[in-house]
Amino acid sequence: MSAEPEEWYEKLRAYEGRVAASGGQGRDPVNEPMIRHWCEAMGDTNPAYPGIAPPTMLQAWTMGGLGGHPGGSARSEAYDELLALLDEAGCTSVVATDCEQEYLRPLRPGDRITFDAVIESVSPRKTTKLGTGHFVTTRMDIQAGGELVGTHRFRILKYAPVRRKPDQQPDQQPDQKPNPEREPEQRPQQEPKARRPRPVINRDNAGFWEGVAAHQLLIQRCTGCGTLRFPWLPGCGGCGSPEWDTVAASGAGTVFSYVVMHHPPFPAFDPPYAVGLIELAEGVRIVSNITGVPHDKVRIGMPVELEFLRADDELELPVFRGAVA
Amino acid sequence: MTVTVRAGEALPPLHIPITRTLIVSGALASRDYQDVHHDAEAAREKGSPDIFMNILTTNGLVGRYITDHFGPRVHLRKVAIRLGAPNYPGDEMVLTGEVTSVADGTAEVAVTGTNGIGRHVTGTVTVELPTGSPTGAVR
């Protein structure tokens, strides 16, 4: 659909390989109280702790905490710039998606850690259940006493959240999970369906939607040259005349082309489903759903018949019922 | 003490009740003060139905699951996880694991944590076994 401007992604990609943090220092040396708090929280009774720190605590030693790092963050200007660019593009929300750590030697109480990080990659724009955004991967090297003790690769999604309607409760929003769910089987099954998007009705297309309300699919006809046009436009593409009337479509058509939507999932739509470009008997084409036929049985040239689908209390839509050969 | 590990071996599941206490204490123990991990109202304002577990806690629980099973003498070498369905309060996460390979004194374990919504975490843990551990039959 909407292509990402090449220059925009190039601008983001230019940050790959640049420093994300340098000369960071652990807020506290590795210490028994923090190890004990961690073990208590995790329910971890391993007797090796707190003689050594749980390896999975690696990132915790780099965190600024509530007070932040004294003397400011170790985060680089380049990383701040990248995040600001994404913020400006509307990708204001952030969620951690992946964490890969390697442990070269155990950390012990008294170890003082330092860290440096690099921006490893910035993904092209991706649409997830949370919203559309970019995955940013950083790789951090963690040292103690000048010796590399571990590496920490971290991936976040910076995204523009799917907007919530004010009349809906948060728990009715299956598409606002704080983590991206990339696998379709993870989608909650029980939650109420979101409503389909509302059409934008304006003075140029109001007549079309009045027709739909009366169960008619109205095609514009130029009264200057007689050319039919669809979708509705203020003037004729052939002769330029702004004068028009309408003809009601007979309802017969054929599948001119189609796609099957698998991913990404959108609210109110249940993939996989077919989206057809229907050529009406009158000659104009319309994009709509194909009903009555499994998505994998839709074929080009398949005859279809207009019907009206009541999506909800407020919305009716013209769709096309296919006939399996 | 040695540890016998065989490829294909399934680890017993670990049931972890996702309480508010676990989410908040895990966030604070990892020094992660992002409000979505302790302030339900702030989490809702950001589009989440409730607070949810941070990735560092998930990482810690996966590490614990492995060392609980193999014992204190193994060393974690690598933990790689990917998050999916969030852990919200009131849910339960069940960690399961399977040894996928054993070679050169290390075992690789595939770990999955499933909650009421779906798969919260999938990951791979590489663990170094105590020297002299019989590696059993490698399939």
Side-chain angles (χ1 to χ4, degrees), chain B residues 65-101:
Chain B
Y65 178 53
I66 297 301
T67 49
D68 273 3
H69 177 71
F70 291 106
R73 294 189 63 240
V74 301
H75 289 292
L76 296 180
R77 280 285 163 250
K78 193 174 174 189
V79 176
I81 59 168
R82 167 165 291 180
L83 294 192
N87 270 344
Y88 294 119
D91 205 340
E92 183 189 63
M93 175 169 72
V94 182
L95 285 168
T96 54
E98 189 190 321
V99 178
T100 49
S101 67

PDB file of all heavy atoms in Angstrom, chain B residues 65-101:
ATOM      1  N   TYR B  65      14.651 -21.096  35.487  1.00  0.00           N
ATOM      2  CA  TYR B  65      14.046 -22.366  35.062  1.00  0.00           C
ATOM      3  C   TYR B  65      15.140 -23.377  34.686  1.00  0.00           C
ATOM      4  O   TYR B  65      15.077 -24.553  35.055  1.00  0.00           O
ATOM      5  CB  TYR B  65      13.113 -22.089  33.878  1.00  0.00           C
ATOM      6  CG  TYR B  65      12.448 -23.302  33.278  1.00  0.00           C
ATOM      7  CD1 TYR B  65      11.738 -24.204  34.067  1.00  0.00           C
ATOM      8  CD2 TYR B  65      12.513 -23.541  31.900  1.00  0.00           C
ATOM      9  CE1 TYR B  65      11.113 -25.307  33.506  1.00  0.00           C
ATOM     10  CE2 TYR B  65      11.884 -24.631  31.334  1.00  0.00           C
ATOM     11  CZ  TYR B  65      11.188 -25.514  32.132  1.00  0.00           C
ATOM     12  OH  TYR B  65      10.577 -26.606  31.578  1.00  0.00           O
ATOM     13  N   ILE B  66      16.151 -22.886  33.985  1.00  0.00           N
ATOM     14  CA  ILE B  66      17.226 -23.769  33.525  1.00  0.00           C
ATOM     15  C   ILE B  66      18.101 -24.230  34.701  1.00  0.00           C
ATOM     16  O   ILE B  66      18.401 -25.418  34.838  1.00  0.00           O
ATOM     17  CB  ILE B  66      18.084 -23.040  32.463  1.00  0.00           C
ATOM     18  CG1 ILE B  66      17.228 -22.725  31.230  1.00  0.00           C
ATOM     19  CG2 ILE B  66      19.306 -23.882  32.076  1.00  0.00           C
ATOM     20  CD1 ILE B  66      16.603 -23.918  30.557  1.00  0.00           C
ATOM     21  N   THR B  67      18.501 -23.279  35.567  1.00  0.00           N
ATOM     22  CA  THR B  67      19.398 -23.687  36.665  1.00  0.00           C
ATOM     23  C   THR B  67      18.643 -24.475  37.740  1.00  0.00           C
ATOM     24  O   THR B  67      19.225 -25.321  38.397  1.00  0.00           O
ATOM     25  CB  THR B  67      20.123 -22.466  37.281  1.00  0.00           C
ATOM     26  OG1 THR B  67      19.180 -21.441  37.569  1.00  0.00           O
ATOM     27  CG2 THR B  67      21.156 -21.914  36.309  1.00  0.00           C
ATOM     28  N   ASP B  68      17.348 -24.204  37.913  1.00  0.00           N
ATOM     29  CA  ASP B  68      16.533 -25.038  38.818  1.00  0.00           C
ATOM     30  C   ASP B  68      16.611 -26.491  38.373  1.00  0.00           C
ATOM     31  O   ASP B  68      16.729 -27.407  39.180  1.00  0.00           O
ATOM     32  CB  ASP B  68      15.046 -24.629  38.773  1.00  0.00           C
ATOM     33  CG  ASP B  68      14.734 -23.493  39.751  1.00  0.00           C
ATOM     34  OD1 ASP B  68      15.669 -22.992  40.404  1.00  0.00           O
ATOM     35  OD2 ASP B  68      13.544 -23.104  39.845  1.00  0.00           O
ATOM     36  N   HIS B  69      16.529 -26.697  37.069  1.00  0.00           N
ATOM     37  CA  HIS B  69      16.485 -28.060  36.555  1.00  0.00           C
ATOM     38  C   HIS B  69      17.861 -28.728  36.558  1.00  0.00           C
ATOM     39  O   HIS B  69      18.001 -29.861  37.013  1.00  0.00           O
ATOM     40  CB  HIS B  69      15.910 -28.073  35.140  1.00  0.00           C
ATOM     41  CG  HIS B  69      15.905 -29.442  34.522  1.00  0.00           C
ATOM     42  ND1 HIS B  69      15.051 -30.450  34.955  1.00  0.00           N
ATOM     43  CD2 HIS B  69      16.684 -30.013  33.561  1.00  0.00           C
ATOM     44  CE1 HIS B  69      15.290 -31.553  34.269  1.00  0.00           C
ATOM     45  NE2 HIS B  69      16.283 -31.318  33.415  1.00  0.00           N
ATOM     46  N   PHE B  70      18.873 -28.017  36.040  1.00  0.00           N
ATOM     47  CA  PHE B  70      20.187 -28.661  35.883  1.00  0.00           C
ATOM     48  C   PHE B  70      21.061 -28.556  37.130  1.00  0.00           C
ATOM     49  O   PHE B  70      22.102 -29.201  37.202  1.00  0.00           O
ATOM     50  CB  PHE B  70      20.920 -28.065  34.675  1.00  0.00           C
ATOM     51  CG  PHE B  70      20.282 -28.420  33.354  1.00  0.00           C
ATOM     52  CD1 PHE B  70      19.554 -27.489  32.642  1.00  0.00           C
ATOM     53  CD2 PHE B  70      20.417 -29.708  32.838  1.00  0.00           C
ATOM     54  CE1 PHE B  70      18.971 -27.820  31.434  1.00  0.00           C
ATOM     55  CE2 PHE B  70      19.833 -30.047  31.625  1.00  0.00           C
ATOM     56  CZ  PHE B  70      19.099 -29.100  30.914  1.00  0.00           C
ATOM     57  N   GLY B  71      20.664 -27.697  38.058  1.00  0.00           N
ATOM     58  CA  GLY B  71      21.433 -27.609  39.307  1.00  0.00           C
ATOM     59  C   GLY B  71      22.432 -26.457  39.297  1.00  0.00           C
ATOM     60  O   GLY B  71      22.743 -25.886  38.262  1.00  0.00           O
ATOM     61  N   PRO B  72      22.956 -26.151  40.499  1.00  0.00           N
ATOM     62  CA  PRO B  72      23.789 -24.949  40.660  1.00  0.00           C
ATOM     63  C   PRO B  72      25.168 -25.052  40.013  1.00  0.00           C
ATOM     64  O   PRO B  72      25.872 -24.060  39.918  1.00  0.00           O
ATOM     65  CB  PRO B  72      23.923 -24.823  42.186  1.00  0.00           C
ATOM     66  CG  PRO B  72      23.662 -26.189  42.723  1.00  0.00           C
ATOM     67  CD  PRO B  72      22.711 -26.845  41.760  1.00  0.00           C
ATOM     68  N   ARG B  73      25.563 -26.250  39.532  1.00  0.00           N
ATOM     69  CA  ARG B  73      26.930 -26.381  39.019  1.00  0.00           C
ATOM     70  C   ARG B  73      27.028 -26.096  37.525  1.00  0.00           C
ATOM     71  O   ARG B  73      28.122 -26.081  36.972  1.00  0.00           O
ATOM     72  CB  ARG B  73      27.486 -27.763  39.358  1.00  0.00           C
ATOM     73  CG  ARG B  73      27.643 -27.937  40.886  1.00  0.00           C
ATOM     74  CD  ARG B  73      28.393 -29.199  41.252  1.00  0.00           C
ATOM     75  NE  ARG B  73      29.762 -29.200  40.764  1.00  0.00           N
ATOM     76  CZ  ARG B  73      30.233 -30.116  39.929  1.00  0.00           C
ATOM     77  NH1 ARG B  73      29.459 -31.074  39.482  1.00  0.00           N
ATOM     78  NH2 ARG B  73      31.484 -30.070  39.541  1.00  0.00           N
ATOM     79  N   VAL B  74      25.892 -25.911  36.879  1.00  0.00           N
ATOM     80  CA  VAL B  74      25.957 -25.551  35.453  1.00  0.00           C
ATOM     81  C   VAL B  74      26.159 -24.040  35.332  1.00  0.00           C
ATOM     82  O   VAL B  74      25.852 -23.285  36.253  1.00  0.00           O
ATOM     83  CB  VAL B  74      24.676 -25.961  34.688  1.00  0.00           C
ATOM     84  CG1 VAL B  74      24.457 -27.465  34.785  1.00  0.00           C
ATOM     85  CG2 VAL B  74      23.464 -25.197  35.186  1.00  0.00           C
ATOM     86  N   HIS B  75      26.672 -23.634  34.196  1.00  0.00           N
ATOM     87  CA  HIS B  75      26.846 -22.201  33.925  1.00  0.00           C
ATOM     88  C   HIS B  75      26.020 -21.808  32.711  1.00  0.00           C
ATOM     89  O   HIS B  75      26.105 -22.462  31.665  1.00  0.00           O
ATOM     90  CB  HIS B  75      28.322 -21.881  33.638  1.00  0.00           C
ATOM     91  CG  HIS B  75      29.186 -21.984  34.856  1.00  0.00           C
ATOM     92  ND1 HIS B  75      29.080 -21.101  35.902  1.00  0.00           N
ATOM     93  CD2 HIS B  75      30.157 -22.877  35.189  1.00  0.00           C
ATOM     94  CE1 HIS B  75      29.955 -21.447  36.835  1.00  0.00           C
ATOM     95  NE2 HIS B  75      30.614 -22.521  36.441  1.00  0.00           N
ATOM     96  N   LEU B  76      25.254 -20.750  32.849  1.00  0.00           N
ATOM     97  CA  LEU B  76      24.548 -20.228  31.681  1.00  0.00           C
ATOM     98  C   LEU B  76      25.579 -19.567  30.777  1.00  0.00           C
ATOM     99  O   LEU B  76      26.402 -18.776  31.240  1.00  0.00           O
ATOM    100  CB  LEU B  76      23.487 -19.197  32.102  1.00  0.00           C
ATOM    101  CG  LEU B  76      22.342 -19.713  32.971  1.00  0.00           C
ATOM    102  CD1 LEU B  76      21.370 -18.577  33.292  1.00  0.00           C
ATOM    103  CD2 LEU B  76      21.596 -20.843  32.264  1.00  0.00           C
ATOM    104  N   ARG B  77      25.548 -19.902  29.508  1.00  0.00           N
ATOM    105  CA  ARG B  77      26.474 -19.307  28.543  1.00  0.00           C
ATOM    106  C   ARG B  77      25.763 -18.297  27.654  1.00  0.00           C
ATOM    107  O   ARG B  77      26.330 -17.299  27.230  1.00  0.00           O
ATOM    108  CB  ARG B  77      27.106 -20.405  27.665  1.00  0.00           C
ATOM    109  CG  ARG B  77      28.236 -21.111  28.348  1.00  0.00           C
ATOM    110  CD  ARG B  77      29.498 -20.219  28.383  1.00  0.00           C
ATOM    111  NE  ARG B  77      30.467 -20.697  29.352  1.00  0.00           N
ATOM    112  CZ  ARG B  77      30.764 -20.070  30.500  1.00  0.00           C
ATOM    113  NH1 ARG B  77      30.155 -18.936  30.810  1.00  0.00           N
ATOM    114  NH2 ARG B  77      31.653 -20.559  31.321  1.00  0.00           N
ATOM    115  N   LYS B  78      24.503 -18.603  27.331  1.00  0.00           N
ATOM    116  CA  LYS B  78      23.774 -17.730  26.420  1.00  0.00           C
ATOM    117  C   LYS B  78      22.278 -17.860  26.701  1.00  0.00           C
ATOM    118  O   LYS B  78      21.778 -18.976  26.865  1.00  0.00           O
ATOM    119  CB  LYS B  78      24.074 -18.151  24.974  1.00  0.00           C
ATOM    120  CG  LYS B  78      23.620 -17.140  23.956  1.00  0.00           C
ATOM    121  CD  LYS B  78      24.058 -17.522  22.544  1.00  0.00           C
ATOM    122  CE  LYS B  78      23.434 -16.545  21.582  1.00  0.00           C
ATOM    123  NZ  LYS B  78      23.588 -16.903  20.192  1.00  0.00           N
ATOM    124  N   VAL B  79      21.595 -16.741  26.772  1.00  0.00           N
ATOM    125  CA  VAL B  79      20.138 -16.736  26.882  1.00  0.00           C
ATOM    126  C   VAL B  79      19.622 -15.775  25.814  1.00  0.00           C
ATOM    127  O   VAL B  79      19.983 -14.597  25.816  1.00  0.00           O
ATOM    128  CB  VAL B  79      19.661 -16.277  28.280  1.00  0.00           C
ATOM    129  CG1 VAL B  79      18.137 -16.186  28.317  1.00  0.00           C
ATOM    130  CG2 VAL B  79      20.156 -17.227  29.375  1.00  0.00           C
ATOM    131  N   ALA B  80      18.834 -16.300  24.895  1.00  0.00           N
ATOM    132  CA  ALA B  80      18.254 -15.461  23.834  1.00  0.00           C
ATOM    133  C   ALA B  80      16.750 -15.637  23.873  1.00  0.00           C
ATOM    134  O   ALA B  80      16.249 -16.754  23.731  1.00  0.00           O
ATOM    135  CB  ALA B  80      18.806 -15.870  22.465  1.00  0.00           C
ATOM    136  N   ILE B  81      16.027 -14.540  24.094  1.00  0.00           N
ATOM    137  CA  ILE B  81      14.576 -14.656  24.193  1.00  0.00           C
ATOM    138  C   ILE B  81      13.885 -13.650  23.284  1.00  0.00           C
ATOM    139  O   ILE B  81      14.420 -12.591  22.965  1.00  0.00           O
ATOM    140  CB  ILE B  81      14.073 -14.434  25.644  1.00  0.00           C
ATOM    141  CG1 ILE B  81      14.465 -13.045  26.176  1.00  0.00           C
ATOM    142  CG2 ILE B  81      14.570 -15.533  26.559  1.00  0.00           C
ATOM    143  CD1 ILE B  81      13.764 -12.667  27.466  1.00  0.00           C
ATOM    144  N   ARG B  82      12.668 -14.025  22.885  1.00  0.00           N
ATOM    145  CA  ARG B  82      11.793 -13.129  22.120  1.00  0.00           C
ATOM    146  C   ARG B  82      10.441 -13.097  22.818  1.00  0.00           C
ATOM    147  O   ARG B  82       9.904 -14.140  23.188  1.00  0.00           O
ATOM    148  CB  ARG B  82      11.631 -13.627  20.689  1.00  0.00           C
ATOM    149  CG  ARG B  82      10.501 -12.921  19.944  1.00  0.00           C
ATOM    150  CD  ARG B  82      10.563 -13.148  18.470  1.00  0.00           C
ATOM    151  NE  ARG B  82      11.727 -12.465  17.913  1.00  0.00           N
ATOM    152  CZ  ARG B  82      12.050 -12.477  16.620  1.00  0.00           C
ATOM    153  NH1 ARG B  82      11.318 -13.172  15.774  1.00  0.00           N
ATOM    154  NH2 ARG B  82      13.099 -11.823  16.203  1.00  0.00           N
ATOM    155  N   LEU B  83       9.910 -11.905  22.982  1.00  0.00           N
ATOM    156  CA  LEU B  83       8.628 -11.770  23.678  1.00  0.00           C
ATOM    157  C   LEU B  83       7.459 -11.757  22.700  1.00  0.00           C
ATOM    158  O   LEU B  83       7.576 -11.266  21.581  1.00  0.00           O
ATOM    159  CB  LEU B  83       8.596 -10.470  24.489  1.00  0.00           C
ATOM    160  CG  LEU B  83       9.560 -10.358  25.666  1.00  0.00           C
ATOM    161  CD1 LEU B  83       9.193  -9.162  26.513  1.00  0.00           C
ATOM    162  CD2 LEU B  83       9.547 -11.624  26.512  1.00  0.00           C
ATOM    163  N   GLY B  84       6.334 -12.289  23.170  1.00  0.00           N
ATOM    164  CA  GLY B  84       5.085 -12.242  22.412  1.00  0.00           C
ATOM    165  C   GLY B  84       3.984 -11.694  23.290  1.00  0.00           C
ATOM    166  O   GLY B  84       4.031 -10.536  23.687  1.00  0.00           O
ATOM    167  N   ALA B  85       3.027 -12.534  23.652  1.00  0.00           N
ATOM    168  CA  ALA B  85       1.889 -12.091  24.462  1.00  0.00           C
ATOM    169  C   ALA B  85       2.361 -11.652  25.851  1.00  0.00           C
ATOM    170  O   ALA B  85       3.090 -12.377  26.522  1.00  0.00           O
ATOM    171  CB  ALA B  85       0.894 -13.235  24.582  1.00  0.00           C
ATOM    172  N   PRO B  86       1.941 -10.473  26.280  1.00  0.00           N
ATOM    173  CA  PRO B  86       2.429  -9.938  27.561  1.00  0.00           C
ATOM    174  C   PRO B  86       1.960 -10.732  28.772  1.00  0.00           C
ATOM    175  O   PRO B  86       0.912 -11.373  28.745  1.00  0.00           O
ATOM    176  CB  PRO B  86       1.814  -8.534  27.609  1.00  0.00           C
ATOM    177  CG  PRO B  86       1.271  -8.261  26.262  1.00  0.00           C
ATOM    178  CD  PRO B  86       1.038  -9.552  25.582  1.00  0.00           C
ATOM    179  N   ASN B  87       2.735 -10.665  29.843  1.00  0.00           N
ATOM    180  CA  ASN B  87       2.347 -11.240  31.131  1.00  0.00           C
ATOM    181  C   ASN B  87       1.648 -10.171  31.966  1.00  0.00           C
ATOM    182  O   ASN B  87       2.297  -9.257  32.480  1.00  0.00           O
ATOM    183  CB  ASN B  87       3.596 -11.726  31.880  1.00  0.00           C
ATOM    184  CG  ASN B  87       3.940 -13.176  31.569  1.00  0.00           C
ATOM    185  OD1 ASN B  87       3.108 -13.919  31.035  1.00  0.00           O
ATOM    186  ND2 ASN B  87       5.146 -13.587  31.898  1.00  0.00           N
ATOM    187  N   TYR B  88       0.336 -10.298  32.092  1.00  0.00           N
ATOM    188  CA  TYR B  88      -0.452  -9.374  32.907  1.00  0.00           C
ATOM    189  C   TYR B  88      -0.753 -10.000  34.266  1.00  0.00           C
ATOM    190  O   TYR B  88      -0.792 -11.232  34.395  1.00  0.00           O
ATOM    191  CB  TYR B  88      -1.791  -9.067  32.216  1.00  0.00           C
ATOM    192  CG  TYR B  88      -1.678  -8.318  30.923  1.00  0.00           C
ATOM    193  CD1 TYR B  88      -2.148  -8.878  29.738  1.00  0.00           C
ATOM    194  CD2 TYR B  88      -1.133  -7.034  30.878  1.00  0.00           C
ATOM    195  CE1 TYR B  88      -2.053  -8.187  28.536  1.00  0.00           C
ATOM    196  CE2 TYR B  88      -1.045  -6.347  29.688  1.00  0.00           C
ATOM    197  CZ  TYR B  88      -1.507  -6.922  28.513  1.00  0.00           C
ATOM    198  OH  TYR B  88      -1.417  -6.242  27.337  1.00  0.00           O
ATOM    199  N   PRO B  89      -1.023  -9.167  35.277  1.00  0.00           N
ATOM    200  CA  PRO B  89      -1.351  -9.698  36.604  1.00  0.00           C
ATOM    201  C   PRO B  89      -2.581 -10.612  36.538  1.00  0.00           C
ATOM    202  O   PRO B  89      -3.519 -10.342  35.777  1.00  0.00           O
ATOM    203  CB  PRO B  89      -1.676  -8.450  37.434  1.00  0.00           C
ATOM    204  CG  PRO B  89      -1.134  -7.298  36.672  1.00  0.00           C
ATOM    205  CD  PRO B  89      -1.079  -7.700  35.234  1.00  0.00           C
ATOM    206  N   GLY B  90      -2.560 -11.651  37.340  1.00  0.00           N
ATOM    207  CA  GLY B  90      -3.706 -12.568  37.400  1.00  0.00           C
ATOM    208  C   GLY B  90      -3.560 -13.753  36.457  1.00  0.00           C
ATOM    209  O   GLY B  90      -4.333 -14.708  36.527  1.00  0.00           O
ATOM    210  N   ASP B  91      -2.603 -13.685  35.564  1.00  0.00           N
ATOM    211  CA  ASP B  91      -2.386 -14.770  34.606  1.00  0.00           C
ATOM    212  C   ASP B  91      -1.417 -15.791  35.229  1.00  0.00           C
ATOM    213  O   ASP B  91      -0.949 -15.608  36.361  1.00  0.00           O
ATOM    214  CB  ASP B  91      -1.799 -14.183  33.316  1.00  0.00           C
ATOM    215  CG  ASP B  91      -2.091 -15.038  32.094  1.00  0.00           C
ATOM    216  OD1 ASP B  91      -2.407 -16.232  32.252  1.00  0.00           O
ATOM    217  OD2 ASP B  91      -2.010 -14.503  30.966  1.00  0.00           O
ATOM    218  N   GLU B  92      -1.152 -16.844  34.498  1.00  0.00           N
ATOM    219  CA  GLU B  92      -0.129 -17.797  34.917  1.00  0.00           C
ATOM    220  C   GLU B  92       0.725 -18.109  33.697  1.00  0.00           C
ATOM    221  O   GLU B  92       0.191 -18.268  32.602  1.00  0.00           O
ATOM    222  CB  GLU B  92      -0.773 -19.087  35.435  1.00  0.00           C
ATOM    223  CG  GLU B  92       0.258 -20.081  35.954  1.00  0.00           C
ATOM    224  CD  GLU B  92      -0.338 -21.456  36.272  1.00  0.00           C
ATOM    225  OE1 GLU B  92      -0.845 -22.121  35.345  1.00  0.00           O
ATOM    226  OE2 GLU B  92      -0.283 -21.869  37.435  1.00  0.00           O
ATOM    227  N   MET B  93       2.030 -18.161  33.903  1.00  0.00           N
ATOM    228  CA  MET B  93       2.906 -18.552  32.802  1.00  0.00           C
ATOM    229  C   MET B  93       3.453 -19.937  33.106  1.00  0.00           C
ATOM    230  O   MET B  93       3.895 -20.201  34.222  1.00  0.00           O
ATOM    231  CB  MET B  93       4.055 -17.564  32.624  1.00  0.00           C
ATOM    232  CG  MET B  93       5.052 -18.018  31.558  1.00  0.00           C
ATOM    233  SD  MET B  93       6.262 -16.762  31.072  1.00  0.00           S
ATOM    234  CE  MET B  93       7.301 -16.702  32.530  1.00  0.00           C
ATOM    235  N   VAL B  94       3.407 -20.790  32.091  1.00  0.00           N
ATOM    236  CA  VAL B  94       3.969 -22.133  32.239  1.00  0.00           C
ATOM    237  C   VAL B  94       5.199 -22.219  31.348  1.00  0.00           C
ATOM    238  O   VAL B  94       5.106 -22.102  30.125  1.00  0.00           O
ATOM    239  CB  VAL B  94       2.940 -23.214  31.848  1.00  0.00           C
ATOM    240  CG1 VAL B  94       3.547 -24.605  32.058  1.00  0.00           C
ATOM    241  CG2 VAL B  94       1.657 -23.073  32.657  1.00  0.00           C
ATOM    242  N   LEU B  95       6.355 -22.399  31.980  1.00  0.00           N
ATOM    243  CA  LEU B  95       7.591 -22.561  31.220  1.00  0.00           C
ATOM    244  C   LEU B  95       7.790 -24.033  30.906  1.00  0.00           C
ATOM    245  O   LEU B  95       7.632 -24.892  31.786  1.00  0.00           O
ATOM    246  CB  LEU B  95       8.781 -22.037  32.025  1.00  0.00           C
ATOM    247  CG  LEU B  95       8.915 -20.511  32.126  1.00  0.00           C
ATOM    248  CD1 LEU B  95       9.948 -20.135  33.181  1.00  0.00           C
ATOM    249  CD2 LEU B  95       9.272 -19.891  30.782  1.00  0.00           C
ATOM    250  N   THR B  96       8.100 -24.318  29.648  1.00  0.00           N
ATOM    251  CA  THR B  96       8.438 -25.680  29.254  1.00  0.00           C
ATOM    252  C   THR B  96       9.749 -25.616  28.476  1.00  0.00           C
ATOM    253  O   THR B  96      10.094 -24.573  27.926  1.00  0.00           O
ATOM    254  CB  THR B  96       7.350 -26.310  28.359  1.00  0.00           C
ATOM    255  OG1 THR B  96       7.120 -25.442  27.253  1.00  0.00           O
ATOM    256  CG2 THR B  96       6.045 -26.519  29.112  1.00  0.00           C
ATOM    257  N   GLY B  97      10.460 -26.724  28.459  1.00  0.00           N
ATOM    258  CA  GLY B  97      11.736 -26.729  27.760  1.00  0.00           C
ATOM    259  C   GLY B  97      12.067 -28.089  27.211  1.00  0.00           C
ATOM    260  O   GLY B  97      11.571 -29.109  27.708  1.00  0.00           O
ATOM    261  N   GLU B  98      12.882 -28.083  26.170  1.00  0.00           N
ATOM    262  CA  GLU B  98      13.338 -29.345  25.601  1.00  0.00           C
ATOM    263  C   GLU B  98      14.796 -29.192  25.195  1.00  0.00           C
ATOM    264  O   GLU B  98      15.167 -28.195  24.565  1.00  0.00           O
ATOM    265  CB  GLU B  98      12.487 -29.713  24.375  1.00  0.00           C
ATOM    266  CG  GLU B  98      12.792 -31.110  23.887  1.00  0.00           C
ATOM    267  CD  GLU B  98      12.155 -31.428  22.536  1.00  0.00           C
ATOM    268  OE1 GLU B  98      11.003 -31.014  22.306  1.00  0.00           O
ATOM    269  OE2 GLU B  98      12.836 -32.086  21.725  1.00  0.00           O
ATOM    270  N   VAL B  99      15.599 -30.195  25.576  1.00  0.00           N
ATOM    271  CA  VAL B  99      17.006 -30.183  25.181  1.00  0.00           C
ATOM    272  C   VAL B  99      17.058 -30.469  23.690  1.00  0.00           C
ATOM    273  O   VAL B  99      16.566 -31.498  23.234  1.00  0.00           O
ATOM    274  CB  VAL B  99      17.804 -31.242  25.975  1.00  0.00           C
ATOM    275  CG1 VAL B  99      19.255 -31.248  25.524  1.00  0.00           C
ATOM    276  CG2 VAL B  99      17.692 -30.986  27.469  1.00  0.00           C
ATOM    277  N   THR B 100      17.621 -29.545  22.931  1.00  0.00           N
ATOM    278  CA  THR B 100      17.634 -29.726  21.474  1.00  0.00           C
ATOM    279  C   THR B 100      18.961 -30.302  20.993  1.00  0.00           C
ATOM    280  O   THR B 100      19.010 -30.959  19.968  1.00  0.00           O
ATOM    281  CB  THR B 100      17.349 -28.399  20.743  1.00  0.00           C
ATOM    282  OG1 THR B 100      18.194 -27.383  21.297  1.00  0.00           O
ATOM    283  CG2 THR B 100      15.902 -27.992  20.915  1.00  0.00           C
ATOM    284  N   SER B 101      20.045 -30.047  21.743  1.00  0.00           N
ATOM    285  CA  SER B 101      21.311 -30.657  21.338  1.00  0.00           C
ATOM    286  C   SER B 101      22.264 -30.696  22.526  1.00  0.00           C
ATOM    287  O   SER B 101      22.157 -29.891  23.450  1.00  0.00           O
ATOM    288  CB  SER B 101      21.944 -29.881  20.173  1.00  0.00           C
ATOM    289  OG  SER B 101      22.341 -28.603  20.606  1.00  0.00           O
TER     290      SER B 101
END
